[in-house]
Amino acid sequence: MNIKHIYTSMIAATLLVVSCKDTKQSEKTANNTMVAEYKGKPITKEFDAKIDSLVAQMTLEEKTGMLHGNSMFATKAIERLGIPELTMADGPLGVREEISRDSWTAAGWDNDFATYYPAGGGLAATWNTELAYLFGRSVGEEAIARDKDVLLSPAINIIRSPLGGRTYEYFTEDPFLNKKITVPFIVGVQENDVAVCVKHYAANNQETNRDFVDVQIDERTLREIYLPAFEAAVKEAHAYSFMGAYNKFRGEYLCENGYMLNDVLRDEWGFEGIVISDWAAVHDTKKSIENGLDVEMGTPKPFNEFFYADSLIEKVKSGEIAESDVDTHVKRILRMMFTLKSIDDKGRAKGSINTEAHFEDAYKIAAESVVLLKNDKNLLPLKTDNIKSIAVIGHNAMKKNALGGFGAGVKTKREVTPLEGLQNRLPKSIKINYAEGYLERYSNDEKAKLGDITLNGPVTINTLEPKLLEEALNAAKNSDVAIIFAGSNRDYETEASDRASLDLPFGQEELIKKVLEVNPNTIVVFIAGAPFDILDISQKSSSLIWSWFNGSEGGNALADVILGNVNPSGKLPWTMPKKLEDSPAHATNSFPGDESVVYTEGILVGYRWFDTKNVEPLYPFGYGMSYTTFEFSDLKTDKETYNADAIIEVTFNIKNTGKVAGKEVAQLYISDPESYVEKAAQELKGFEKVFLKSGSSKTVTMQLPAKELAYYNEVKKQWLVEPGTYKIKIGNSSRNIKSEVSINIK
């Protein structure tokens, strides 16, 4: 086994203590209340002598062949020395289908079907590190079963704007939640002798002008918001590879940025793996070689014309680049390959793919990701005893999202849609009246192929078809209950394009309002990866659910939540604004920028902005309801005063005061009201997902390192914990703090 997997606290990597009034329940739910510390296995150095020998036997042409793509997703093998290709696969949603070696055309295999896993937003919404590990382990098994060395995942950039085209793929707006989901995912993947490729390093927070935009971030903001998950990926998970982003950072492209690749990543954090470029993200041979990029990948030109191909050979022969620099990169690649056992293949993991076990893994993640936003009339969970008919309305009820958009998808044999999920779970006596409701319409301009579907698009894309509207209203009128499936899809939210607004597409808002008028017993379900403007709908509807691009079993999981077979426990991993202008990057008019973008909001990203500026969100960060209720009490710390290097022990009780069992996410925030520097009103610094039966309670003790209270001092270039009084808060969202206590730091 490639990790030390011991039970400890999610926040502090120290023991979480749980006491339970119901001892039998304590025994039954130990796996739900205890969490693991995930520590990855470092890259091995035991083959260094053999690596030196191999490099000494290579020609310059063989060396450079290992440093650039020789096919769409592989470098060149050196067969005479027993060195295979370094093979890669896209992977945020699951292992991508096999494509041709020299084009994006599908290879046409019949054995490359894979499990479609929930997108990053869905995983983050579980607030469950065990599920992050499960996801990683499961997709890692699939990757190695396809003989892949590198899985191009996870994508962990911070969500800076709700318009971001890859918001669905990224985890969260919060750096603490981000790193706590990232680390176990990486460890799970790499247990299978497959390297992750953590992307996109770094400050890659928009798709608009992503190929050249120059990102300007002050050092404190960079360190506190945008780098913590990348740093944890190195220091805790021992990620074997990183992907250099497309954009510039402080004037230098990130695939040739010496500060980010050498000074920070390698020298400061101790990264020993390899850096792979995003596809066609290299711009200069010499700068990239000398500033830390190991492998160049890309697609738009013949492989020998890559910067690390003929150009690199010429520059070495002319003396412009030292061959010893080339050797450095080759040795890094070989060291990783020996760690993965891809060279000698002795004892390498075998894995499995497209299995029932993996579909079950996808189900578990999806089931805990669904967020209950509103349930004013207790229409949910849906009681079927007296229901004879249900109207299912909306194209999203039958929309499949494993494939679509400009980004990587998954070729899967199973994707259960919401309509199919209801058909699987509802009693056969209940009639389902399906109506499509709206048509997907997209702009016809050339950019639409890259996902710019709302930019300069015709107004008619938001116009309802009268016939479809009539069918939907008739279905709603003639059914006991209506369920509308609205939101987005992976053609609408996509890599290579940011959305133009938060408006719901395809005339959905008008459709929802008209259905609500004819049938008040209407449940509105949004399927999307990023926030939308649902203020009016939220005010008019009594029952709202938020789901995601949720994998092969997403429809079954969603149906189980609607029917109460699963008690929803998902929490929003980002803030839902009332209007776009409330979000920090838009309130400061600093998104998306043109040739450059300045992150004017600084450290006040996401809920930090809303809470500090007293801007009321529609639904706050960390928010999510349940079919039961929970009560927090008796918050206390073990001391009143601590040193800056101490562990703060935080204890509180949680009780399930409702009628059904459920899971609650206890969220620990800290604030420093007496700080000498600008700080957010509060910051997430711990969380725990706790399962409780009806009427049962638990005392939970969290270990919070005082170092989590630190800020980054740009003058001293180090993290500092200010002395003074801090508040420790416990709640179940950033805007629903149940209790707080004060402590002093010497």
Side-chain angles (χ1 to χ4, degrees):
M1 197 168 185
N2 288 345
I3 62 165
K4 290 169 60 182
H5 196 184
I6 58 177
Y7 283 99
T8 58
S9 164
M10 185 181 306
I11 337 178
T14 49
L15 184 63
L16 165 70
V17 181
V18 177
S19 64
C20 183
K21 294 181 180 179
D22 182 345
T23 56
K24 292 182 180 179
Q25 182 59 22
S26 179
E27 293 171 359
K28 290 180 181 178
T29 63
N31 289 334
N32 293 319
T33 59
M34 302 294 283
V35 293
E37 176 193 11
Y38 297 93
K39 290 292 184 183
K41 181 181 178 181
I43 281 182
T44 183
K45 298 179 182 179
E46 61 182 299
F47 297 97
D48 280 6
K50 186 173 183 179
I51 289 171
D52 288 340
S53 174
L54 286 170
V55 173
Q57 299 175 61
M58 292 181 190
T59 66
L60 177 59
E61 288 73 17
E62 287 173 332
K63 293 174 184 177
T64 58
M66 291 186 64
L67 302 189
H68 69 85
N70 188 54
S71 69
M72 301 297 281
F73 283 97
T75 61
K76 196 169 187 177
I78 307 176
E79 295 179 1
R80 70 180 186 87
L81 297 178
I83 300 173
E85 296 179 325
L86 181 70
T87 58
M88 310 172 198
D90 270 325
L93 302 177
V95 184
R96 185 175 185 155
E97 69 179 315
E98 204 69 26
I99 65 171
S100 301
R101 291 188 62 84
D102 58 359
S103 77
W104 290 104
T105 305
W109 293 10
D110 60 5
N111 63 347
D112 58 344
F113 291 95
T115 304
Y116 163 36
Y117 294 90
L123 174 59
T126 69
W127 289 62
N128 188 328
T129 59
E130 291 286 342
L131 290 180
Y133 169 76
L134 177 71
F135 190 154
R137 187 189 68 193
S138 189
V139 74
E141 290 172 352
E142 300 220 337
I144 195 62
R146 284 269 303 280
D147 295 322
K148 301 304 178 185
D149 299 314
V150 181
L151 186 72
L152 305 176
S153 179
I156 66 171
N157 294 102
I158 286 289
I159 296 169
R160 180 173 179 252
S161 164
L163 298 182
R166 301 184 87 156
T167 293
Y168 78 92
E169 185 179 347
Y170 296 155
F171 291 148
T172 174
E173 67 188 22
D174 178 73
F176 185 87
L177 177 60
N178 202 15
K179 69 181 181 181
K180 291 301 180 183
I181 296 295
T182 294
V183 169
F185 179 93
I186 292 172
V187 171
V189 171
Q190 294 190 165
E191 279 187 354
N192 294 282
D193 299 326
V194 174
V196 296
C197 187
V198 182
K199 59 186 188 183
H200 309 85
Y201 183 72
N204 183 238
N205 311 105
Q206 64 184 61
E207 295 301 285
T208 305
N209 302 332
R210 66 175 183 172
D211 292 329
F212 57 82
V213 68
D214 186 3
V215 177
Q216 301 291 325
I217 311 177
D218 66 86
E219 193 69 12
R220 183 183 170 204
T221 298
L222 178 70
R223 298 289 182 148
E224 292 188 18
I225 304 296
Y226 296 97
L227 292 188
F230 289 104
E231 183 176 5
V234 175
K235 292 183 175 180
E236 298 176 38
H238 294 289
Y240 296 158
S241 74
F242 268 45
M243 180 182 289
Y246 283 117
N247 53 289
K248 293 178 182 177
F249 178 71
R250 297 177 185 165
E252 296 287 346
Y253 283 106
L254 279 160
C255 285
E256 57 188 51
N257 194 302
Y259 177 68
M260 295 297 287
L261 297 183
N262 286 334
D263 297 352
V264 176
L265 182 61
R266 294 196 184 277
D267 296 343
E268 184 179 330
W269 295 348
F271 179 66
E272 295 183 328
I274 67 171
V275 178
I276 302 169
S277 78
D278 208 337
W279 268 231
V282 178
H283 297 268
D284 187 283
T285 304
K286 183 175 174 63
K287 286 183 179 179
S288 294
I289 279 287
E290 293 179 349
N291 288 318
L293 183 78
D294 298 295
V295 178
E296 177 192 7
M297 298 299 293
T299 57
K301 54 189 176 183
F303 299 118
N304 69 295
E305 294 181 11
F306 281 20
F307 288 94
Y308 275 19
D310 290 351
S311 175
L312 177 56
I313 293 171
E314 292 171 6
K315 291 184 185 301
V316 171
K317 288 182 176 179
S318 69
E320 189 175 347
I321 294 175
E323 188 166 356
S324 59
D325 287 345
V326 175
D327 293 349
T328 296
H329 298 288
V330 172
K331 289 177 181 179
R332 288 174 183 165
I333 295 167
L334 287 172
R335 186 178 279 175
M336 187 185 79
M337 293 178 76
F338 273 107
T339 299
L340 299 175
K341 306 170 189 171
S342 68
I343 292 183
D344 56 18
D345 198 25
K346 292 179 180 177
R348 195 176 195 194
K350 300 301 180 184
S352 58
I353 194 168
N354 192 41
T355 64
E356 286 300 323
H358 290 166
F359 290 135
E360 178 65 19
D361 293 340
Y363 173 86
K364 290 176 182 177
I365 298 163
E368 287 203 23
S369 75
V370 178
V371 182
L372 178 61
L373 294 178
K374 191 175 181 182
N375 196 24
D376 282 0
K377 296 182 180 179
N378 291 319
L379 189 57
L380 292 164
L382 193 61
K383 302 170 184 65
T384 60
D385 295 347
N386 298 316
I387 293 177
K388 296 181 179 179
S389 60
I390 294 177
V392 175
I393 299 170
H395 186 69
N396 261 5
M398 56 182 233
K399 178 72 175 181
K400 295 189 175 184
N401 289 298
L403 297 171
F406 188 70
V410 180
K411 175 182 171 183
T412 185
K413 288 185 176 181
R414 180 185 302 177
E415 181 178 353
V416 180
T417 66
L419 177 58
E420 291 168 339
L422 288 170
Q423 291 169 337
N424 292 339
R425 299 299 198 252
L426 283 170
K428 300 304 179 185
S429 60
I430 294 179
K431 181 183 180 183
I432 296 177
N433 299 314
Y434 174 68
E436 188 174 6
Y438 64 87
L439 289 179
E440 290 183 21
R441 288 190 173 101
Y442 300 97
S443 171
N444 291 322
D445 62 23
E446 183 67 20
K447 285 188 175 182
K449 295 179 181 178
L450 298 182
D452 289 334
I453 52 179
T454 60
L455 299 179
N456 305 314
V459 175
T460 53
I461 67 173
N462 287 320
T463 302
L464 292 172
E465 284 289 324
K467 182 180 179 181
L468 294 185
L469 175 60
E470 181 182 3
E471 291 173 353
L473 295 180
N474 285 336
K477 289 176 185 176
N478 297 310
S479 301
D480 298 320
V481 175
I483 307 175
I484 301 178
F485 292 92
S488 184
N489 56 58
R490 287 196 55 246
D491 294 311
Y492 196 84
E493 294 182 60
T494 175
E495 178 183 350
S497 172
D498 297 316
R499 289 182 290 147
S501 75
L502 290 184
D503 296 342
L504 281 169
F506 317 131
Q508 291 180 84
E509 183 163 353
E510 180 185 358
L511 172 66
I512 294 169
K513 290 177 179 178
K514 288 184 179 297
V515 170
L516 286 169
E517 289 173 0
V518 301
N519 191 336
N521 292 327
T522 295
I523 300 163
V524 181
V525 180
F526 293 103
I527 297 172
F532 279 84
D533 180 357
I534 60 170
L535 176 59
D536 286 349
I537 293 172
S538 180
Q539 292 172 341
K540 289 179 170 60
S541 175
S542 66
S543 305
L544 293 177
I545 289 175
W546 191 276
S547 190
W548 314 85
F549 308 140
N550 238 351
S552 286
E553 285 285 332
N556 285 333
L558 187 52
D560 280 337
V561 169
I562 291 171
L563 298 174
N565 301 325
V566 170
N567 191 346
S569 62
K571 302 283 186 177
L572 291 178
W574 35 248
T575 303
M576 178 90 73
K578 288 185 175 181
K579 57 183 185 297
L580 180 62
E581 294 76 19
D582 290 342
S583 293
H586 301 274
T588 57
N589 294 313
S590 57
F591 181 94
D594 190 1
E595 291 192 3
S596 66
V597 58
V598 180
Y599 287 18
T600 310
E601 73 280 2
I603 62 170
L604 300 182
V605 176
Y607 71 91
R608 287 166 164 79
W609 174 274
F610 286 83
D611 294 350
T612 305
K613 302 293 185 180
N614 294 315
V615 178
E616 185 180 1
L618 180 58
Y619 294 106
F621 173 78
Y623 174 84
M625 299 176 66
S626 171
Y627 293 150
T628 189
T629 54
F630 298 93
E631 181 181 272
F632 290 70
S633 63
D634 298 331
L635 174 64
K636 57 187 177 182
T637 57
D638 60 325
K639 299 177 185 178
E640 293 182 358
T641 302
Y642 299 87
N643 295 321
D645 59 353
I647 299 294
I648 304 163
E649 190 173 273
V650 183
T651 306
F652 54 93
N653 292 332
I654 306 180
K655 183 176 182 180
N656 183 340
T657 56
K659 297 180 179 180
V660 295
K663 294 181 180 181
E664 178 63 299
V665 179
Q667 301 166 36
L668 187 155
Y669 295 86
I670 64 101
S671 64
D672 181 7
E674 300 176 356
S675 177
Y676 292 105
V677 298
E678 179 190 35
K679 290 184 180 178
Q682 58 185 9
E683 300 175 0
L684 180 74
K685 293 298 178 183
F687 59 90
E688 183 60 56
K689 197 161 196 175
V690 179
F691 173 81
L692 289 168
K693 279 190 172 181
S694 173
S696 68
S697 63
K698 290 176 182 170
T699 299
V700 179
T701 300
M702 292 181 173
Q703 308 286 347
L704 173 65
K707 67 179 181 181
E708 286 286 0
L709 310 180
Y711 77 97
Y712 188 81
N713 185 291
E714 294 179 284
V715 176
K716 296 184 177 181
K717 296 184 179 180
Q718 63 185 40
W719 292 87
L720 298 177
V721 179
E722 286 185 288
T725 301
Y726 291 79
K727 290 183 178 180
I728 295 179
K729 307 175 181 181
I730 291 291
N732 62 3
S733 82
S734 65
R735 286 300 179 99
N736 194 26
I737 300 301
K738 300 292 189 177
S739 185
E740 64 179 56
V741 295
S742 294
I743 61 165
N744 295 306
I745 300 292
K746 292 181 181 178

